[in-house]
Amino acid sequence: MRLEPRADSPLALQVFAPVGAVVAALALCAALVAWTGAPVLRAYGLLIEGALGSRFALTETLTRATPLILTGLAVAVAFRAKLWNIGAEGQLYMGALAAVVVGGGMLDLPAWLLIPLVLLAGMAAGGVTLLGPAVLKVRFGVDEVVTTLLLNFVVLLLVSMLLEGPLKDPMGMGWPQSAPVIAAAELPKLVARTRLHAGLAIALGLAVLLWLMDTRTIWGYENRAVGANPRAAAFAGMPVTWIMLRTALLSGGLAGLAGAAEVCGLKGYLTLDLSPGFGYSGIVVAMLAQLHPLGVVGAALFIAAVFVGADAMSRAMPVPNYIADVMVATSLLCMLVAGLLTRYRLRRG
Amino acid sequence: MALSATGEPEVVLRLVGITKRFGTLLANDSVSLTLHAGEVLALLGENGAGKTTLMNILFGHYVADEGTIEAFGRPLPPGSPRAALEAGIGMVHQHFTLADNLSVLDNVTVGTESLWRIRSDRRAARARLLELAQRFGLEVRPDAVVADLSVGERQRVEILKALYRDARILILDEPTAVLTPQESASLFDTLRRLTADGLAVVFISHKMNEVFAASDTVAVLRAGKLVATHATSDTDRTRLAELMVGRAVTPAAPQPLAAGEPVLELSHVTVASDHGRPLLDAVDLAVRRRQVIGIAGVSGNGQTALAELVSGLVHAEAGSVTLKGAPVERADPAAMIRLGVARIPEDRHSAGLVGAMTVWENLIAERYRAPAFSRLGILRRGAARTYARRVIADFDVRCPGPEARTQTLSGGNMQKLILGRTLAHKPDLILASQPTRGLDIGAVSYVHGRLLEARAAGAGVLLISEDLDEILALADSIAVIHRGRLTPLLPNGRASISQLGLLMAGHWDILPEILDAA
């Protein structure tokens, strides 16, 4: 068997690839479900019902998808410019940190002013966090995979220190958590009596904006050129260093916004378990979406649905909810193969 | 030619009906060839004509879809380089396959010794290597490390490697692409000694000169088909060029023009390297309007640094660069473009174009910020596509349209795209760095024609090329580059080809003689 490059990859194939990959992943995971002794079809039925089957399930899935869309966009934006940002998790926490500091009562402003300010602070904090590794990369060629990954742990320890020290909530019964943001900094709910908040609208709006930027503006044009061939971009006179740094600011900013939105829309305060790895899942989301901003929305919804649905399923059946992790990981692997098959053709001999 | 008992030259290799498809592309279309002992067969054809594919099938890198190969009367099992080696076929690739960190002797013997023997008999190996080297005029130092060898020496090692393995049929893929004229002459001398010894040689080429200098027979491939096989003495250049291209080709010839004022002046320009010797060493050069200045040299002598300097990618550490009379401070690519420099990079794939992007996106890459193509940061995609359609038509770029991905274009069309991007804006200076490397005859004459047209329109052209024929055909004056230093400009015709070859090899002691001859 050999791989031969395709001259063109038809649109139908590109759309079918992720769908096929997800179906293949579900089929593969069916074996694991069967292994636990549970009936496969009923298990998947419960999973789907748990993710989409009721008002509550649906809003929970959307709530869960919100930070995933933002971290997914963060990763997609960076990866498209070949800036390998593995640090969305740390940038998310930095954004959350900025949100509790700025929104914690230090400024007494009306909501229409305070909310944008808090979110912008979160973006700035996330962006600056990625700026460091990006500067090291363009200036000295330091591998950003290593620096951004390791910075995650530095950020977590910093947050931990602050939560045990200066930021510790005096009313928090001794738990390592910050004081909550004030009411004027809270994001409005999208659906009454659910946890779904305006962060979703912001995330969707940004996905569309980024797609427009990518295809319609000279910024997107430059980003794509630098991502696809930095040497040719530099030869044509594009400011490659500035493009890399501004991509870093945008990517880190999106991850920081995810953290700020989680704090202001959902949790209200900062703890060390604010994110169950949204930053890392963002990488999976972006890869599943083949780095397309609109694809990120679909991929984030899928992953959120799998996690929320698996939780519901595991409460009703003897299938542990870890199956969600396996399903997401399998989907990613299938997607990588599917992506390969859209670009290459499998041939005998 | 070596004759068999019957008086006919012995057939050593017979290819019958070789057909190979890649997807829908027919790379070889029932090609049949015979090779005799003592014969040098030139396999001539444009890029993409299927020469290399055919030889790769012969050597077992590819498996033919149809057809058979016989070596020395026995069928050759397909798809096995080892079987080809054992049948006495040796191949010297265009890109050498030597281990840089090993000695010449190690490179030649590697793979020929049994893993089970504790001690290898290096003395016998060395004696055999030296004997082969002496017999065929392939001078090498067995203990030199390959990394320290010149390109010509490396090629000799590759040939020795094949001979050491008892090759009786030697395949050379574009062997002269990297050699000076003198090195090429010495290679052809070696080929004659090999065939005198009864070996048969196939060499792949797209250069006419070599075919006449070295071959007994010439086979012409076009679009995968064998279109003709002639005794070399029975044919001529024009005929072969027509066979290769499939139509008549008229080479571009510059009309005499009076040079205008200087557009580019380099004065004592030095470009440093990361280690030791500078890439450009106190270079002086002037390019005037309506003038083509050719920079000749063996690859790796500072041509890249000179091109990057004029492209705005590197800075002069010392000396001054003057464009149209004004000194250039802090040059960068964008500034050079603004100042009217059209830059044709030596590597169109990696520096010239973004392959994953479309034709129109590549065409506006140097001026997307101009009001014609963007307003307030928003791309004017309609205007850009219209512009692209015009350039595609003006420069005869063969592609499905402005939306085609650039990487699907052929090399010649990529180069036309770059020409269109730069020449459409009436440049004052054109930097053409290896502008026709890897292009076929048709595309070469197109590129040359466009450069001469721009010259006639008043541009100065700085032509950097490793192809001496190209420089001799186009340049008004020639400077030779060697180890970062540049000779004074010599009017084209002042120095003979062999004198230029000596200068390229660094024998600058002959310079006064050439200069005094005026």
Side-chain angles (χ1 to χ4, degrees), chain B residues 268-320:
Chain B
H268 270 77
V269 169
T270 297
V271 171
S273 75
D274 293 341
H275 35 77
R277 195 156 48 82
L279 298 170
L280 284 183
D281 190 355
V283 162
D284 290 302
L285 180 69
V287 181
R288 296 165 174 278
R289 290 189 185 277
R290 294 185 292 281
Q291 196 183 33
V292 177
I293 299 296
I295 306 292
V298 179
S299 105
N301 273 295
Q303 290 98 325
T304 305
L306 179 59
E308 287 185 342
L309 177 80
V310 181
S311 300
L313 291 167
V314 300
H315 300 281
E317 182 168 287
S320 68

Short mmCIF file of all heavy atoms in Angstrom, two decimals, chain B residues 268-320:
data_model
loop_
_atom_site.label_atom_id
_atom_site.label_comp_id
_atom_site.label_asym_id
_atom_site.label_seq_id
_atom_site.Cartn_x
_atom_site.Cartn_y
_atom_site.Cartn_z
N HIS B 268 32.63 48.11 -2.35
CA HIS B 268 33.33 47.44 -1.25
C HIS B 268 32.37 46.77 -0.26
O HIS B 268 32.54 46.87 0.94
CB HIS B 268 34.23 48.43 -0.51
CG HIS B 268 35.59 48.48 -1.10
ND1 HIS B 268 35.84 49.14 -2.28
CD2 HIS B 268 36.76 47.91 -0.73
CE1 HIS B 268 37.11 48.98 -2.60
NE2 HIS B 268 37.69 48.25 -1.68
N VAL B 269 31.37 46.10 -0.78
CA VAL B 269 30.35 45.50 0.08
C VAL B 269 30.85 44.17 0.65
O VAL B 269 31.31 43.30 -0.07
CB VAL B 269 29.04 45.27 -0.70
CG1 VAL B 269 28.08 44.42 0.12
CG2 VAL B 269 28.41 46.60 -1.05
N THR B 270 30.75 44.06 1.96
CA THR B 270 31.10 42.82 2.64
C THR B 270 29.88 42.31 3.40
O THR B 270 29.20 43.08 4.07
CB THR B 270 32.27 43.05 3.62
OG1 THR B 270 33.41 43.46 2.87
CG2 THR B 270 32.60 41.80 4.40
N VAL B 271 29.59 41.03 3.22
CA VAL B 271 28.52 40.39 3.99
C VAL B 271 29.16 39.29 4.83
O VAL B 271 29.84 38.42 4.29
CB VAL B 271 27.44 39.80 3.07
CG1 VAL B 271 26.46 38.95 3.86
CG2 VAL B 271 26.71 40.90 2.32
N ALA B 272 28.95 39.39 6.13
CA ALA B 272 29.61 38.45 7.04
C ALA B 272 28.88 37.12 7.06
O ALA B 272 27.70 37.03 6.73
CB ALA B 272 29.65 39.04 8.45
N SER B 273 29.56 36.06 7.43
CA SER B 273 28.91 34.77 7.65
C SER B 273 29.03 34.45 9.13
O SER B 273 29.75 35.12 9.87
CB SER B 273 29.56 33.68 6.82
OG SER B 273 30.80 33.32 7.39
N ASP B 274 28.34 33.41 9.56
CA ASP B 274 28.37 33.05 10.98
C ASP B 274 29.73 32.50 11.39
O ASP B 274 30.10 32.53 12.54
CB ASP B 274 27.29 32.00 11.27
CG ASP B 274 25.92 32.59 11.10
OD1 ASP B 274 25.82 33.83 11.14
OD2 ASP B 274 24.96 31.82 10.94
N HIS B 275 30.44 31.96 10.40
CA HIS B 275 31.71 31.34 10.75
C HIS B 275 32.77 31.71 9.72
O HIS B 275 32.65 31.40 8.54
CB HIS B 275 31.57 29.82 10.82
CG HIS B 275 30.61 29.29 9.82
ND1 HIS B 275 30.94 29.16 8.50
CD2 HIS B 275 29.32 28.90 9.94
CE1 HIS B 275 29.91 28.70 7.84
NE2 HIS B 275 28.90 28.54 8.68
N GLY B 276 33.80 32.40 10.18
CA GLY B 276 34.99 32.60 9.35
C GLY B 276 34.80 33.50 8.14
O GLY B 276 34.28 34.60 8.23
N ARG B 277 35.20 33.00 6.96
CA ARG B 277 35.27 33.73 5.73
C ARG B 277 33.96 34.44 5.41
O ARG B 277 32.90 33.85 5.48
CB ARG B 277 35.62 32.74 4.62
CG ARG B 277 36.08 33.35 3.33
CD ARG B 277 36.94 32.32 2.55
NE ARG B 277 36.31 31.02 2.47
CZ ARG B 277 35.37 30.71 1.57
NH1 ARG B 277 34.97 31.60 0.72
NH2 ARG B 277 34.86 29.50 1.53
N PRO B 278 34.01 35.72 5.05
CA PRO B 278 32.76 36.42 4.72
C PRO B 278 32.12 35.84 3.46
O PRO B 278 32.82 35.31 2.59
CB PRO B 278 33.19 37.87 4.50
CG PRO B 278 34.65 37.83 4.27
CD PRO B 278 35.18 36.60 4.96
N LEU B 279 30.79 35.95 3.37
CA LEU B 279 30.06 35.43 2.21
C LEU B 279 30.31 36.30 0.99
O LEU B 279 30.40 35.81 -0.13
CB LEU B 279 28.57 35.37 2.52
CG LEU B 279 28.18 34.44 3.66
CD1 LEU B 279 26.73 34.63 4.06
CD2 LEU B 279 28.44 32.99 3.26
N LEU B 280 30.40 37.62 1.21
CA LEU B 280 30.80 38.53 0.16
C LEU B 280 31.96 39.34 0.70
O LEU B 280 31.91 39.83 1.82
CB LEU B 280 29.66 39.48 -0.23
CG LEU B 280 28.52 38.94 -1.09
CD1 LEU B 280 27.56 40.06 -1.41
CD2 LEU B 280 29.03 38.28 -2.35
N ASP B 281 33.01 39.49 -0.11
CA ASP B 281 34.25 40.06 0.40
C ASP B 281 34.61 41.28 -0.44
O ASP B 281 35.12 41.15 -1.54
CB ASP B 281 35.33 38.97 0.31
CG ASP B 281 36.59 39.37 1.04
OD1 ASP B 281 36.64 40.52 1.53
OD2 ASP B 281 37.51 38.55 1.13
N ALA B 282 34.31 42.47 0.08
CA ALA B 282 34.67 43.74 -0.59
C ALA B 282 34.33 43.73 -2.08
O ALA B 282 35.19 43.87 -2.94
CB ALA B 282 36.16 44.04 -0.38
N VAL B 283 33.03 43.57 -2.35
CA VAL B 283 32.58 43.44 -3.74
C VAL B 283 32.26 44.81 -4.34
O VAL B 283 31.61 45.64 -3.72
CB VAL B 283 31.32 42.54 -3.78
CG1 VAL B 283 30.56 42.73 -5.07
CG2 VAL B 283 31.72 41.09 -3.58
N ASP B 284 32.76 45.05 -5.55
CA ASP B 284 32.41 46.26 -6.30
C ASP B 284 31.66 45.84 -7.55
O ASP B 284 32.07 44.91 -8.25
CB ASP B 284 33.68 47.00 -6.74
CG ASP B 284 34.39 47.63 -5.57
OD1 ASP B 284 33.76 48.42 -4.86
OD2 ASP B 284 35.57 47.28 -5.35
N LEU B 285 30.55 46.52 -7.83
CA LEU B 285 29.76 46.15 -9.00
C LEU B 285 28.84 47.31 -9.37
O LEU B 285 28.33 48.01 -8.49
CB LEU B 285 28.92 44.91 -8.67
CG LEU B 285 28.02 44.36 -9.77
CD1 LEU B 285 28.87 43.75 -10.88
CD2 LEU B 285 27.08 43.30 -9.22
N ALA B 286 28.65 47.51 -10.66
CA ALA B 286 27.67 48.50 -11.10
C ALA B 286 26.80 47.89 -12.19
O ALA B 286 27.31 47.23 -13.09
CB ALA B 286 28.37 49.76 -11.62
N VAL B 287 25.49 48.06 -12.05
CA VAL B 287 24.56 47.61 -13.09
C VAL B 287 23.88 48.85 -13.64
O VAL B 287 23.32 49.65 -12.89
CB VAL B 287 23.50 46.65 -12.51
CG1 VAL B 287 22.56 46.18 -13.61
CG2 VAL B 287 24.14 45.47 -11.81
N ARG B 288 23.96 49.01 -14.96
CA ARG B 288 23.37 50.20 -15.60
C ARG B 288 22.07 49.84 -16.30
O ARG B 288 21.79 48.67 -16.55
CB ARG B 288 24.34 50.78 -16.63
CG ARG B 288 25.62 51.29 -16.02
CD ARG B 288 26.69 51.52 -17.07
NE ARG B 288 27.85 52.13 -16.45
CZ ARG B 288 27.94 53.44 -16.21
NH1 ARG B 288 26.97 54.26 -16.58
NH2 ARG B 288 28.99 53.94 -15.62
N ARG B 289 21.29 50.87 -16.60
CA ARG B 289 20.07 50.65 -17.37
C ARG B 289 20.40 50.08 -18.75
O ARG B 289 21.45 50.38 -19.32
CB ARG B 289 19.32 51.97 -17.55
CG ARG B 289 18.70 52.49 -16.28
CD ARG B 289 17.80 53.66 -16.55
NE ARG B 289 17.30 54.23 -15.30
CZ ARG B 289 16.25 53.75 -14.63
NH1 ARG B 289 15.59 52.72 -15.12
NH2 ARG B 289 15.86 54.30 -13.51
N ARG B 290 19.46 49.29 -19.28
CA ARG B 290 19.62 48.66 -20.59
C ARG B 290 20.89 47.81 -20.67
O ARG B 290 21.61 47.83 -21.66
CB ARG B 290 19.60 49.72 -21.70
CG ARG B 290 18.24 50.42 -21.85
CD ARG B 290 18.21 51.36 -23.02
NE ARG B 290 19.07 52.51 -22.84
CZ ARG B 290 18.74 53.56 -22.09
NH1 ARG B 290 17.58 53.59 -21.46
NH2 ARG B 290 19.57 54.56 -21.96
N GLN B 291 21.16 47.09 -19.58
CA GLN B 291 22.37 46.29 -19.52
C GLN B 291 22.07 45.02 -18.72
O GLN B 291 21.34 45.08 -17.72
CB GLN B 291 23.44 47.11 -18.78
CG GLN B 291 24.84 46.59 -18.96
CD GLN B 291 25.84 47.38 -18.14
OE1 GLN B 291 25.52 47.87 -17.06
NE2 GLN B 291 27.05 47.48 -18.65
N VAL B 292 22.58 43.88 -19.20
CA VAL B 292 22.50 42.65 -18.40
C VAL B 292 23.91 42.34 -17.89
O VAL B 292 24.84 42.21 -18.68
CB VAL B 292 21.99 41.45 -19.23
CG1 VAL B 292 22.00 40.18 -18.38
CG2 VAL B 292 20.59 41.71 -19.78
N ILE B 293 24.04 42.29 -16.56
CA ILE B 293 25.32 41.92 -15.97
C ILE B 293 25.20 40.48 -15.48
O ILE B 293 24.33 40.16 -14.69
CB ILE B 293 25.64 42.83 -14.77
CG1 ILE B 293 25.76 44.29 -15.20
CG2 ILE B 293 26.92 42.36 -14.08
CD1 ILE B 293 26.90 44.57 -16.15
N GLY B 294 26.05 39.60 -16.00
CA GLY B 294 26.00 38.20 -15.61
C GLY B 294 27.02 37.90 -14.53
O GLY B 294 28.17 38.32 -14.63
N ILE B 295 26.59 37.20 -13.49
CA ILE B 295 27.52 36.76 -12.44
C ILE B 295 27.70 35.26 -12.61
O ILE B 295 26.79 34.48 -12.36
CB ILE B 295 26.97 37.06 -11.03
CG1 ILE B 295 26.60 38.54 -10.89
CG2 ILE B 295 27.97 36.64 -9.96
CD1 ILE B 295 27.77 39.49 -10.92
N ALA B 296 28.89 34.85 -13.06
CA ALA B 296 29.15 33.43 -13.27
C ALA B 296 29.91 32.88 -12.08
O ALA B 296 30.66 33.59 -11.42
CB ALA B 296 29.97 33.25 -14.54
N GLY B 297 29.72 31.61 -11.82
CA GLY B 297 30.45 31.00 -10.73
C GLY B 297 29.92 29.62 -10.43
O GLY B 297 28.80 29.27 -10.84
N VAL B 298 30.75 28.84 -9.71
CA VAL B 298 30.30 27.52 -9.27
C VAL B 298 29.43 27.74 -8.04
O VAL B 298 29.70 28.63 -7.24
CB VAL B 298 31.51 26.64 -8.93
CG1 VAL B 298 31.05 25.28 -8.44
CG2 VAL B 298 32.40 26.50 -10.14
N SER B 299 28.40 26.93 -7.88
CA SER B 299 27.44 27.15 -6.81
C SER B 299 28.14 27.19 -5.45
O SER B 299 29.13 26.50 -5.21
CB SER B 299 26.38 26.06 -6.85
OG SER B 299 26.58 25.15 -5.82
N GLY B 300 27.63 28.05 -4.56
CA GLY B 300 28.17 28.11 -3.21
C GLY B 300 29.36 29.04 -3.07
O GLY B 300 30.12 28.93 -2.13
N ASN B 301 29.54 29.97 -4.00
CA ASN B 301 30.67 30.90 -3.89
C ASN B 301 30.25 32.31 -3.51
O ASN B 301 31.01 33.25 -3.67
CB ASN B 301 31.46 30.91 -5.20
CG ASN B 301 32.52 29.83 -5.22
OD1 ASN B 301 33.46 29.86 -4.43
ND2 ASN B 301 32.34 28.84 -6.07
N GLY B 302 29.01 32.44 -3.02
CA GLY B 302 28.56 33.75 -2.59
C GLY B 302 27.41 34.29 -3.41
O GLY B 302 26.94 35.40 -3.16
N GLN B 303 26.96 33.50 -4.40
CA GLN B 303 25.84 33.96 -5.23
C GLN B 303 24.60 34.23 -4.38
O GLN B 303 23.89 35.21 -4.58
CB GLN B 303 25.49 32.91 -6.30
CG GLN B 303 26.52 32.76 -7.39
CD GLN B 303 27.44 31.59 -7.11
OE1 GLN B 303 27.77 31.30 -5.95
NE2 GLN B 303 27.89 30.93 -8.16
N THR B 304 24.34 33.31 -3.43
CA THR B 304 23.14 33.45 -2.61
C THR B 304 23.21 34.73 -1.78
O THR B 304 22.23 35.47 -1.69
CB THR B 304 23.00 32.22 -1.69
OG1 THR B 304 23.00 31.06 -2.51
CG2 THR B 304 21.70 32.27 -0.91
N ALA B 305 24.38 35.00 -1.22
CA ALA B 305 24.53 36.21 -0.40
C ALA B 305 24.32 37.46 -1.25
O ALA B 305 23.65 38.41 -0.83
CB ALA B 305 25.90 36.23 0.26
N LEU B 306 24.85 37.45 -2.46
CA LEU B 306 24.69 38.60 -3.35
C LEU B 306 23.21 38.81 -3.68
O LEU B 306 22.68 39.93 -3.62
CB LEU B 306 25.50 38.38 -4.64
CG LEU B 306 25.42 39.48 -5.69
CD1 LEU B 306 25.89 40.81 -5.12
CD2 LEU B 306 26.25 39.11 -6.92
N ALA B 307 22.52 37.69 -3.98
CA ALA B 307 21.09 37.78 -4.29
C ALA B 307 20.31 38.27 -3.07
O ALA B 307 19.41 39.11 -3.19
CB ALA B 307 20.57 36.42 -4.75
N GLU B 308 20.65 37.76 -1.90
CA GLU B 308 19.92 38.17 -0.70
C GLU B 308 20.17 39.63 -0.35
O GLU B 308 19.30 40.32 0.16
CB GLU B 308 20.28 37.25 0.48
CG GLU B 308 19.66 35.88 0.31
CD GLU B 308 19.88 34.97 1.50
OE1 GLU B 308 20.79 35.25 2.32
OE2 GLU B 308 19.15 33.98 1.61
N LEU B 309 21.39 40.08 -0.65
CA LEU B 309 21.71 41.48 -0.40
C LEU B 309 20.82 42.38 -1.26
O LEU B 309 20.20 43.33 -0.77
CB LEU B 309 23.18 41.74 -0.72
CG LEU B 309 23.65 43.18 -0.60
CD1 LEU B 309 23.92 43.50 0.86
CD2 LEU B 309 24.90 43.43 -1.43
N VAL B 310 20.73 42.06 -2.54
CA VAL B 310 19.95 42.90 -3.45
C VAL B 310 18.45 42.71 -3.20
O VAL B 310 17.64 43.60 -3.46
CB VAL B 310 20.33 42.62 -4.91
CG1 VAL B 310 19.55 43.50 -5.86
CG2 VAL B 310 21.83 42.82 -5.12
N SER B 311 18.07 41.54 -2.64
CA SER B 311 16.66 41.31 -2.31
C SER B 311 16.24 42.04 -1.05
O SER B 311 15.06 42.15 -0.76
CB SER B 311 16.40 39.82 -2.09
OG SER B 311 16.71 39.08 -3.21
N GLY B 312 17.22 42.49 -0.26
CA GLY B 312 16.91 43.15 1.00
C GLY B 312 16.82 42.20 2.17
O GLY B 312 16.35 42.57 3.25
N LEU B 313 17.27 40.96 2.00
CA LEU B 313 17.16 39.98 3.08
C LEU B 313 18.36 40.02 4.03
O LEU B 313 18.25 39.67 5.19
CB LEU B 313 17.00 38.57 2.52
CG LEU B 313 15.67 38.30 1.81
CD1 LEU B 313 15.73 37.00 1.01
CD2 LEU B 313 14.53 38.24 2.81
N VAL B 314 19.53 40.41 3.51
CA VAL B 314 20.70 40.54 4.39
C VAL B 314 21.28 41.94 4.21
O VAL B 314 21.02 42.62 3.21
CB VAL B 314 21.79 39.48 4.10
CG1 VAL B 314 21.27 38.08 4.29
CG2 VAL B 314 22.36 39.67 2.71
N HIS B 315 22.07 42.35 5.19
CA HIS B 315 22.63 43.69 5.16
C HIS B 315 24.13 43.63 4.93
O HIS B 315 24.79 42.67 5.31
CB HIS B 315 22.36 44.40 6.49
CG HIS B 315 20.91 44.51 6.77
ND1 HIS B 315 20.13 45.45 6.18
CD2 HIS B 315 20.12 43.77 7.56
CE1 HIS B 315 18.89 45.30 6.60
NE2 HIS B 315 18.84 44.28 7.44
N ALA B 316 24.65 44.68 4.30
CA ALA B 316 26.09 44.77 4.13
C ALA B 316 26.70 45.15 5.46
O ALA B 316 26.23 46.05 6.15
CB ALA B 316 26.40 45.82 3.07
N GLU B 317 27.75 44.42 5.83
CA GLU B 317 28.42 44.75 7.08
C GLU B 317 29.34 45.95 6.87
O GLU B 317 29.51 46.79 7.74
CB GLU B 317 29.24 43.55 7.53
CG GLU B 317 29.93 43.76 8.85
CD GLU B 317 30.45 42.45 9.35
OE1 GLU B 317 29.64 41.62 9.78
OE2 GLU B 317 31.67 42.24 9.29
N ALA B 318 29.91 46.00 5.66
CA ALA B 318 30.74 47.15 5.32
C ALA B 318 30.48 47.49 3.87
O ALA B 318 30.00 46.66 3.11
CB ALA B 318 32.21 46.80 5.54
N GLY B 319 30.82 48.71 3.49
CA GLY B 319 30.62 49.13 2.11
C GLY B 319 29.25 49.73 1.92
O GLY B 319 28.45 49.80 2.86
N SER B 320 28.96 50.18 0.69
CA SER B 320 27.69 50.86 0.48
C SER B 320 26.94 50.28 -0.71
O SER B 320 27.53 49.80 -1.67
CB SER B 320 27.93 52.35 0.26
OG SER B 320 28.60 52.54 -0.97
#
